[in-house]
Amino acid sequence: MEILFATHNKNKLVEVKNLLPKKITILSLEDINHFKEVVEDKKTILENAVKKASEIYKITGRICFADDTGLEVEELGGKPGVHSKRFAGRNADNMDNINKLLKLMKNKSNRKARFVTIISLIIDGKIKNFEGICNGDIAQEKKGDKGFGYDSVFIPTGQKLTFAEMDIDKKNLLAHRAIAVKKLVFFLIKQFNANS
Ligand code: IMP
């Protein structure tokens, strides 16, 4: 089964590839020479995931899925949430976002946070959504140089290391996207077996 992952994010691609069984071949947007970004302008993570998958499905007609992820910090009333990518402004990069977060969280004792991922799959013209949540805490300072995004300031519950200090296999045992991908794979295998 060939399936398109509607992303330009190489880190996400590697994470997801590591979780898929051999019978599912994954293509990225680069593989099909699609370089345009989908604008993520919706009010919820779910709506953004659905928008990304739907736009790419309309263009390609292929079975495809997209993910959208947000970091929700309890002390900040769930922010940055759906605005995680542009937390520090329109042209903000990961460092700007992390610096803004650590500044807002300075001297805060409640550091509880969670990553939420929604994967939207379009198959036979129908949408199926899969959710993954990972609870944890915001670290006092950046640690580690693996991973991407907010990984260097997120410590999953029960762990001492940030995601950025873990190997990808360890992150994938605990993380939001991996939880959602496992649900996606379970669904795809069922479809695959039903059609073969
Ligand atoms: P998006 O899902 O690509 O729109 O990501 C939204 C924001 O969350 C971006 O700033 C990403 O870098 C960040 N992000 C997404 N997934 C992860 C993750 O697994 N770890 C850390 N940050 C992430």
Side-chain angles (χ1 to χ4, degrees), residues 12 40 68-69 85 115 148-151 171 176-177:
K12 285 186 181 181
E40 295 175 32
D68 197 54
T69 295
K85 200 170 183 172
F115 273 117
F148 68 102
Y150 294 90
D151 276 347
K171 180 182 175 190
H176 41 292
R177 184 168 307 97

Side-chain angles (χ1 to χ4, degrees), residues 3 18 26 33 38 40 43 64 76 79 85-87 101 112 121 126 132 134 147 149-150 153 170 173 176:
I3 176 163
N18 268 17
I26 191 164
N33 293 321
V38 175
E40 295 175 32
K43 289 204 170 67
C64 78
L76 305 179
K79 286 183 184 156
K85 200 170 183 172
R86 282 170 284 276
F87 190 38
L101 178 64
K112 281 190 202 142
L121 168 75
K126 294 192 198 92
C134 179
Y150 294 90
V153 289
K170 174 80 177 168
L173 284 178
H176 41 292

Side-chain angles (χ1 to χ4, degrees), residues 7 9 11-12 15 40 45 48 52 67-71 80-87 92-94 97 115-118 147-154 163 171 175-178:
T7 189
N9 184 324
N11 292 287
K12 285 186 181 181
E15 276 186 21
E40 295 175 32
I45 293 169
N48 272 337
K52 283 192 249 184
D67 92 313
D68 197 54
T69 295
L71 176 66
V82 70
H83 303 297
S84 294
K85 200 170 183 172
R86 282 170 284 276
F87 190 38
D93 63 16
N94 288 329
N97 290 334
F115 273 117
V116 179
T117 287
I118 302 285
F148 68 102
Y150 294 90
D151 276 347
S152 61
V153 289
F154 186 84
F163 271 150
K171 180 182 175 190
H176 41 292
R177 184 168 307 97

Side-chain angles (χ1 to χ4, degrees), residues 7-66:
T7 189
H8 295 286
N9 184 324
K10 291 197 171 59
N11 292 287
K12 285 186 181 181
L13 193 65
V14 173
E15 276 186 21
V16 171
K17 272 188 176 166
N18 268 17
L19 290 161
L20 292 180
K22 284 203 178 69
K23 57 178 139 183
I24 301 176
T25 306
I26 191 164
L27 298 175
S28 72
L29 291 177
E30 267 73 22
D31 290 327
I32 59 155
N33 293 321
H34 183 91
F35 299 102
K36 218 176 133 208
E37 291 275 352
V38 175
V39 182
E40 295 175 32
D41 54 0
K42 297 291 184 186
K43 289 204 170 67
T44 64
I45 293 169
L46 172 65
E47 287 173 298
N48 272 337
V50 170
K51 180 178 176 183
K52 283 192 249 184
S54 306
E55 282 198 13
I56 298 301
Y57 179 75
K58 259 187 229 148
I59 296 166
T60 65
R62 289 171 185 256
I63 302 174
C64 78
F65 69 94

